[in-house]
Amino acid sequence: MVNEGKKTNMKVRKAVVVAAGRGTRFLPFTKSVPKEMLPLIDKPVIQYAIEEAAACNMDLVVVVTTPDKIALEKYFTRDTELEHILQKTGKDDLLEKIKCLPDLANICFVHQKEQLGLGDAVLTARAVVGEEPFAVILPDDLFEQREGILQKMLDAFHKYQSNIIALRKVDEEEIDRYGVAKVKELTEHICQVLDLVEKPRLADAPSDLAIMGRYILMPDIFEELATTPKGIGGEIQLTDALKRLLSRQSMYGYKIQGEYYDSGTIQGWIEATLALALNHPALSQRLRAYLHYPKS
Ligand code: G1P
């Protein structure tokens, strides 16, 4: 299926980073601190998402958040007082790390009014995204080959000029945590998406290929989201809207290989922290000795 009537060679210039969830898995910590501010070594989870978008040359990063998550907005705002202190005390390396934050990307924040789920959060970005294809990044989902994945999906978008979603094989016992795709294999990395179901029971799962938190979407998804009824969990599910979009547009899966960390769970966050620390120049040696882990 082709996307009739659509222009060819469309460019993806905007990324939507969804940071609107309550982070209940991390309570009590997340009672007053947004889960996206959890550190992975010395940077918050949200920064990795912004850097990923910036590495793909996005002109604008739209962060969907909630009014109480003011810490996210503050983090990317200049702090001249702190800069002054670090300058005075000669902490140039730290000064560089905080000075660059407001310039990582051109960021704007939009607020989701009610906790109505991922689909509603993406819909919140509609006015800012407009009538053009856009990327979606779920910051919790981290990958070993972090920098490469979104760029490879953009490359696939340029070839297929249609919706691209990230897919990865997951274990049977985890399948009911994800959106799951029925596919037709096309190449080593690309498949055509034929059907989608959000958080199926194992018996109902059409495959073991789960949706990971990276998407390149045509703006037509907004029309679908606006009329998609609440689905599983009483929330407006992005997967349900994508399934509806499938009836009029083609969709491709980009198959991810390598490690994946769900930093939105305590287990995944610890694993992501360890994976980063084991390869961190200043931390690796002592940590490997402490864990009796082979030297790098
Ligand atoms: C969301 C999506 C789901 C996807 C997952 C990836 O679920 O609804 O389709 O597989 O992200 O992390 P959530 O993690 O918000 O429950």
Side-chain angles (χ1 to χ4, degrees):
M1 199 192 317
V2 286
N3 291 317
E4 292 89 349
K6 297 284 168 196
K7 288 184 211 122
T8 51
N9 292 321
M10 290 173 290
K11 198 169 173 325
V12 181
R13 304 183 305 128
K14 296 174 185 170
V16 174
V17 174
V18 181
R22 287 304 305 252
T24 46
R25 289 192 184 105
F26 281 92
L27 280 171
F29 175 78
T30 41
K31 183 167 179 287
S32 62
V33 182
K35 69 169 173 169
E36 296 81 9
M37 290 306 291
L38 274 162
L40 287 169
I41 312 297
D42 57 357
K43 296 191 289 193
V45 169
I46 185 81
Q47 188 172 343
Y48 290 83
I50 302 292
E51 288 177 351
E52 187 176 335
C56 293
N57 300 313
M58 293 291 134
D59 293 346
L60 181 66
V61 182
V62 186
V63 181
V64 182
T65 178
T66 54
D68 56 317
K69 290 196 180 186
I70 201 73
L72 289 180
E73 300 181 39
K74 204 169 166 222
Y75 185 76
F76 294 102
T77 306
R78 205 168 162 199
D79 184 340
T80 45
E81 200 184 316
L82 179 58
E83 284 177 23
H84 186 63
I85 293 168
L86 295 173
Q87 209 161 21
K88 252 183 32 191
T89 49
K91 295 188 171 137
D92 294 346
D93 50 338
L94 294 180
L95 180 63
E96 282 318 304
K97 283 185 182 179
I98 66 139
K99 256 179 96 170
C100 67
L101 295 174
D103 302 322
L104 285 178
N106 183 21
I107 307 173
C108 79
F109 292 87
V110 296
H111 291 162
Q112 188 184 20
K113 293 199 183 75
E114 264 184 273
Q115 293 278 309
L116 289 176
L118 174 61
D120 181 70
V122 172
L123 184 58
T124 307
R126 184 178 195 170
V128 186
V129 171
E131 283 299 310
E132 51 181 293
F134 62 103
V136 175
I137 299 177
L138 307 189
D140 286 353
D141 290 357
L142 294 165
F143 308 97
E144 204 178 13
Q145 312 141 316
R146 189 164 40 92
E147 282 85 8
I149 287 171
L150 193 61
Q151 188 54 57
K152 293 215 174 79
M153 291 175 69
L154 289 165
D155 295 345
F157 176 82
H158 290 134
K159 177 166 178 201
Y160 293 98
Q161 295 286 302
S162 198
N163 306 281
I164 314 280
I165 63 176
L167 297 174
R168 184 178 178 277
K169 278 186 193 293
V170 297
D171 293 337
E172 284 188 348
E173 59 272 21
E174 298 206 317
I175 207 93
D176 62 357
R177 285 178 39 196
Y178 298 97
V180 181
K182 179 180 176 186
V183 302
K184 181 176 137 199
E185 301 292 340
L186 292 181
T187 70
E188 191 192 344
H189 292 292
I190 303 287
C191 51
Q192 184 167 3
V193 177
L194 304 176
D195 197 9
L196 291 165
V197 48
E198 179 68 11
K199 297 188 174 59
R201 291 180 311 177
L202 178 59
D204 302 326
S207 78
D208 59 356
L209 283 173
I211 305 175
M212 298 283 115
R214 301 292 183 279
Y215 310 74
I216 311 288
L217 301 178
M218 301 294 281
D220 312 67
I221 191 68
F222 291 128
E223 272 165 46
E224 301 299 344
L225 283 169
T227 53
T228 295
K230 287 179 186 169
I232 195 157
E235 297 188 334
I236 297 169
Q237 298 292 347
L238 179 57
T239 305
D240 293 348
L242 289 169
K243 182 182 164 83
R244 290 161 56 130
L245 192 59
L246 264 176
S247 64
R248 60 184 173 116
Q249 276 186 1
S250 44
M251 192 174 297
Y252 299 89
Y254 174 77
K255 288 182 284 175
I256 297 176
Q257 272 139 12
E259 260 334 305
Y260 153 73
Y261 307 97
D262 179 358
S263 71
T265 66
I266 294 178
Q267 177 79 27
W269 174 72
I270 292 172
E271 287 171 8
T273 301
L274 274 178
L276 287 168
L278 285 168
N279 292 303
H280 191 286
L283 304 172
S284 164
Q285 206 181 350
R286 277 186 62 174
L287 187 64
R288 280 170 192 263
Y290 174 73
L291 295 172
H292 306 290
Y293 200 83
K295 289 197 170 106
S296 57

